[in-house]
Amino acid sequence: MVEGSSKRKRPNILVTGTPGTGKTTMSTALAESIQFRHINVGDLVKDKNLHDGWDDELDCFILNEDLVCDELEDVMEEGGNIVDHHGCDFFPERWFDCVVVLQTDNTVLYDRLSNRGYNETKLSNNVECEIFQVILEEAKESYPEDRVVALKSDTIEDMSRNITTLTDWVRNWHSAS
Ligand code: ADP
Ligand code: MN
């Protein structure tokens, strides 16, 4: 039994993966389908100032992990959350009943990220991150393997199938007791 999960009436899902793999698109649709709360960690960090300033080199906010975890603790205890973030190693393991790692073919990912206007460095860093399955490895190191699932996210059909799979999983989930 996962410590803490017995108190939740609904599970918490972490949706992670390299930027551009479709976390926000899928999380938004899934949250609407199952009436869960969608928490986009990047937006939360910006809105609530949960950072230590801007990293010019990486071109992103320097996320403050303690502030983010403090901010989310109560809501995570309630359950019914879809947390959307490109990293997964700093959240408490007990928060999540399922950790979804989205994966995208690297040429498809390259196009998505260049459409987003990423510069060459950011582009190659992220495509490399995807090629080496960095986030999947991080997830497997941070959570029990039976809670981690890698899902392909190349096409809209992939996304629909993933939403169906996760919707079914949530319907069949019962808190451990
Ligand atoms: P992330 O939140 O992981 O950075 P987004 O959800 O913002 O990724 O998606 C990045 C881009 O890819 C968006 O333009 C989105 O419409 C597109 N996209 C996301 N998932 C898919 C998919 N499964 N098939 C086709 N396009 C997708
Ligand atoms: Mn996103």
Side-chain angles (χ1 to χ4, degrees), residues 109-163:
L109 185 67
Y110 186 95
D111 291 343
R112 286 187 197 163
L113 294 178
S114 57
N115 283 339
R116 200 181 257 186
Y118 276 21
N119 65 39
E120 241 356 277
T121 316
K122 220 171 163 177
L123 259 174
S124 52
N125 283 346
N126 283 299
V127 171
E128 218 168 85
C129 170
E130 187 62 5
I131 291 170
F132 291 107
Q133 305 201 320
V134 172
I135 309 292
L136 181 61
E137 289 309 314
E138 186 179 311
K140 286 180 177 169
E141 275 166 25
S142 308
Y143 301 91
E145 277 210 40
D146 63 352
R147 259 185 272 165
V148 177
V149 55
L151 297 175
K152 194 159 84 79
S153 178
D154 291 345
T155 64
I156 297 302
E157 291 71 40
D158 290 337
M159 182 171 81
S160 306
R161 194 185 50 245
N162 295 340
I163 290 170

